[in-house]
Amino acid sequence: MIIDSNAPIGVFDSGIGGLTVAREIMRNLPSEKIVYFGDTARLPYGSKSKDTIIRYSRQIVRFLQSRGVKAIVVACNTASALALDTLEKEIDIPIIGVVKPGARVAAQATESKRVGVIATEATIRSGLYTKLIQEIDPEISVIGKPCPLFVPLVEEGWRKDPITEMIARRYLEVLQEQDIDTLILGCTHYPLLRKLIGDIMGDKVRLVNPAYETSMVLKNLLADQHMENQGGIKEEFPYRFYVSDAAEKFKEFANSILPYDVERTKQINLEEYQEL
Amino acid sequence: MIIDSNAPIGVFDSGIGGLTVAREIMRNLPSEKIVYFGDTARLPYGSKSKDTIIRYSRQIVRFLQSRGVKAIVVACNTASALALDTLEKEIDIPIIGVVKPGARVAAQATESKRVGVIATEATIRSGLYTKLIQEIDPEISVIGKPCPLFVPLVEEGWRKDPITEMIARRYLEVLQEQDIDTLILGCTHYPLLRKLIGDIMGDKVRLVNPAYETSMVLKNLLADQHMENQGGIKEEFPYRFYVSDAAEKFKEFANSILPYDVERTKQINLEEYQEL
């Protein structure tokens, strides 16, 4: 098949968290256009089952393909952990997730061979971070800890709050006892708590944000396959945002974390994009 | 139309919270069968938009009708507040929500004419509790307070936890300052925090749980319309449970709060039940 290198990159997440990945792509691949989809009508994914996450992700992939994207970034740890394997067999454009890039960097970074992962329940339960890290180095121990309250705390606006600090201390205690030297922020909301998590874990623990690593993997992939956008960006709106629930709330949050004013956000009824 | 009085009652919620309403129906209408639906693949509703909540509720109503129910109880405050008005115009069997019964009892109970409501963001934003209470008595002041972390805290299993108490104290502070004498637990999860909320608000504040009141409204409605199940329950499984996501997790929670062993739970793909 012939891929139009001028086409946009599709990026999707269960909601707003994936904007932290879109932000890294904007920074590190400034010539690329983006079509972002946030499944705000059905979020969160982190507490749901594998079958449901695969079904939802398929619909989104189908929607992104209808927008002519040349490659897809699954900017959601839960969907990367549970649906990527299935999706990559079903489509003929490149698709990458955030878990593999994060796992690789963590495996390279650790010296104590003890890596921690904080993520949603579904991501931890999948065991994918552990599997991928141990494929690189079977001697690395991986300690996973689900932190289900982090997302609602961020969405409540309590990023800098003593209660959030207490909850973070409780969640992270088990990782502090395990002498890890590397900690993966395995949910796209967690980089928004980076400072707090860093303060609790201390200077000796390196925090890995898979968002940056993922943008680098995408950059190499586009170069290898000669898919980079050579023409540069000429459009007035190179970044387009779609959501499955009301666009207003999304826009507000997007504007608070993107170095860019999110003007045009459109609501889509995903149920019209049934399975492939 | 002819209604089969031997048919079950349909009860639905965004997830598990509505089981507190089903429990009251089981207690107070022991001759009635129930078909329960929990939209676990798309929960929570409380942070989503009116249009989305109407769309989801319509699909569920359509599913319950396909199961031959004789009446429907919207056992979710958010769906009652945002979708009930629309739904009752679209179907020809009786449908009731939890908001109206809760509002009526609170309006009757208050002496200070100051009522508090705690609920999801969407329910508070709808203003429906205020509207219904002031229709009964325009002199009553209604003070609403969204408590978005209560549901994730209950689902994290932290019902009796110092952190939950701190969060509850912060949420309820504004209501304590307002000298209310009646507080509506306006989300079906909140009765599970009843003791904590009662301890914080003190003896002088009456807590209203709309679940009980709703079961009484249903009882009167069935009697008025001669729709009571005269034959009693002969089936081995009079209570049937359907969910849109994995049934296992639901079953576990259901068994922890129902006076009944939830054996048979079935997963349904709601997208097959498109709008009426």
Side-chain angles (χ1 to χ4, degrees):
Chain A
M1 80 179 277
I2 296 162
I3 287 180
D4 174 8
S5 62
N6 190 38
I9 307 290
V11 178
F12 80 86
D13 179 44
S14 59
I16 54 180
L19 291 170
T20 61
V21 179
R23 181 170 66 178
E24 294 298 332
I25 298 173
M26 292 171 189
R27 280 180 189 155
N28 302 313
L29 290 83
S31 302
E32 298 298 335
K33 292 175 282 184
I34 294 174
V35 175
Y36 183 93
F37 186 87
D39 197 2
T40 49
R42 304 191 293 199
L43 66 81
Y45 284 5
S47 55
K48 287 163 193 168
S49 71
K50 180 168 180 159
D51 284 352
T52 292
I53 293 160
I54 290 174
R55 198 170 79 242
Y56 290 172
S57 300
R58 255 193 203 128
Q59 289 175 346
I60 298 169
V61 162
R62 172 116 189 232
F63 165 73
L64 291 172
Q65 288 189 297
S66 79
R67 289 296 175 279
V69 300
K70 64 182 175 186
I72 292 176
V73 177
V74 186
C76 168
N77 281 269
T78 306
S80 297
L82 287 105
L84 183 60
D85 255 14
T86 306
L87 296 173
E88 64 189 0
K89 285 177 203 136
E90 296 175 349
I91 60 172
D92 53 7
I93 56 172
I95 180 166
I96 62 171
V98 288
V99 171
K100 209 169 181 175
R104 191 164 51 202
V105 173
Q108 286 160 354
T110 182
E111 288 172 16
S112 68
K113 303 219 181 270
R114 301 185 70 78
V115 171
V117 181
I118 52 175
T120 64
E121 276 181 78
T123 300
I124 297 297
R125 217 185 317 121
S126 79
L128 187 62
Y129 271 111
T130 306
K131 180 172 170 279
L132 293 174
I133 290 171
Q134 293 183 341
E135 273 173 19
I136 298 169
D137 183 346
E139 288 184 7
I140 299 175
S141 296
V142 181
I143 301 104
K145 174 70 188 165
C147 304
L149 287 166
F150 278 173
V151 173
L153 285 165
V154 167
E155 289 181 356
E156 179 67 321
W158 293 7
R159 281 162 65 178
K160 291 172 190 169
D161 192 287
I163 285 178
T164 305
E165 189 182 332
M166 281 178 70
I167 293 174
R169 285 191 185 282
R170 186 182 299 181
Y171 279 147
L172 298 174
E173 198 179 355
V174 59
L175 297 170
Q176 288 175 298
E177 289 163 357
Q178 292 278 347
D179 284 329
I180 58 166
D181 68 350
T182 306
L183 177 60
I184 299 173
L185 306 178
C187 168
T188 50
H189 273 75
Y190 298 179
L192 302 170
L193 296 173
R194 184 180 190 119
K195 191 176 173 318
L196 174 64
I197 294 167
D199 287 349
I200 294 171
M201 296 306 296
D203 287 345
K204 287 180 191 150
V205 176
R206 173 170 169 183
L207 302 186
V208 173
N209 174 5
Y212 171 78
E213 314 301 339
T214 303
S215 73
M216 288 298 133
V217 169
L218 177 66
K219 192 171 183 169
N220 293 335
L221 174 111
L222 296 182
D224 286 350
Q225 303 202 10
H226 308 292
M227 285 167 62
E228 293 153 304
N229 186 6
Q230 305 291 350
I233 290 177
K234 297 188 186 69
E235 290 81 357
E236 193 186 352
F237 298 104
Y239 306 135
R240 290 177 183 269
F241 300 89
Y242 297 88
V243 287
S244 49
D245 196 12
E248 281 312 310
K249 204 175 158 187
F250 175 86
K251 229 155 74 176
E252 207 176 290
F253 191 90
N255 282 330
S256 78
I257 70 164
L258 288 183
Y260 165 84
D261 192 24
V262 174
E263 262 304 316
R264 288 152 77 101
T265 303
K266 200 169 167 228
Q267 189 179 340
I268 296 291
N269 182 2
L270 254 200
E271 287 160 25
E272 289 164 14
Y273 295 85
Q274 290 300 322
E275 305 199 354
L276 293 167
Chain B
M1 80 181 276
I2 296 163
I3 287 181
D4 175 8
S5 62
N6 191 39
I9 307 290
V11 178
F12 81 86
D13 179 44
S14 59
I16 53 179
L19 291 170
T20 62
V21 179
R23 181 170 65 178
E24 294 297 333
I25 299 172
M26 292 171 188
R27 280 181 188 154
N28 302 312
L29 292 83
S31 302
E32 298 298 336
K33 292 175 282 184
I34 294 174
V35 175
Y36 183 93
F37 186 88
D39 196 2
T40 49
R42 304 190 294 201
L43 65 80
Y45 283 6
S47 56
K48 287 163 193 168
S49 71
K50 180 169 181 159
D51 285 352
T52 291
I53 292 160
I54 290 174
R55 198 171 79 242
Y56 290 172
S57 300
R58 255 192 203 129
Q59 289 175 347
I60 297 169
V61 163
R62 171 115 191 233
F63 164 74
L64 290 172
Q65 288 190 297
S66 79
R67 289 296 174 279
V69 300
K70 64 182 174 185
I72 292 176
V73 177
V74 186
C76 169
N77 280 269
T78 306
S80 297
L82 287 105
L84 183 60
D85 256 15
T86 306
L87 296 173
E88 63 190 1
K89 286 178 203 136
E90 297 175 348
I91 60 173
D92 53 7
I93 56 172
I95 180 166
I96 62 170
V98 288
V99 171
K100 210 170 181 174
R104 191 163 54 202
V105 173
Q108 287 159 354
T110 183
E111 289 173 15
S112 68
K113 303 216 181 276
R114 300 185 71 77
V115 171
V117 181
I118 52 176
T120 64
E121 276 181 79
T123 301
I124 297 295
R125 219 185 317 120
S126 78
L128 187 62
Y129 271 111
T130 306
K131 179 172 170 280
L132 294 174
I133 290 170
Q134 294 183 340
E135 272 172 19
I136 298 169
D137 182 348
E139 287 183 7
I140 298 175
S141 298
V142 181
I143 302 105
K145 173 69 188 167
C147 304
L149 287 166
F150 278 174
V151 173
L153 285 164
V154 167
E155 289 182 355
E156 179 67 323
W158 292 7
R159 280 161 67 177
K160 291 171 190 170
D161 191 288
I163 285 178
T164 306
E165 188 181 332
M166 281 178 69
I167 293 174
R169 285 193 185 280
R170 186 181 300 180
Y171 280 146
L172 299 175
E173 197 178 356
V174 59
L175 297 170
Q176 288 174 299
E177 288 164 359
Q178 292 279 345
D179 283 330
I180 58 166
D181 69 349
T182 306
L183 177 60
I184 298 173
L185 306 178
C187 168
T188 49
H189 273 76
Y190 298 179
L192 302 170
L193 295 173
R194 184 179 192 122
K195 191 173 173 320
L196 175 64
I197 295 166
D199 287 349
I200 294 172
M201 296 306 297
D203 288 345
K204 288 179 189 150
V205 176
R206 174 172 167 182
L207 302 186
V208 173
N209 174 4
Y212 171 78
E213 314 301 339
T214 303
S215 72
M216 289 298 134
V217 169
L218 176 66
K219 193 171 182 167
N220 293 335
L221 174 111
L222 296 182
D224 287 351
Q225 304 203 11
H226 308 292
M227 284 167 61
E228 293 152 304
N229 186 6
Q230 305 291 350
I233 290 179
K234 296 188 189 71
E235 290 81 356
E236 194 187 350
F237 298 104
Y239 305 135
R240 291 177 182 266
F241 300 88
Y242 297 87
V243 287
S244 50
D245 196 13
E248 281 311 310
K249 203 175 160 187
F250 175 86
K251 229 155 76 176
E252 207 176 290
F253 192 90
N255 282 330
S256 79
I257 70 163
L258 288 183
Y260 165 84
D261 192 24
V262 174
E263 262 303 316
R264 288 152 75 102
T265 304
K266 202 172 165 224
Q267 189 179 341
I268 296 292
N269 182 3
L270 255 199
E271 287 160 24
E272 288 164 15
Y273 295 85
Q274 289 299 321
E275 306 200 355
L276 293 166

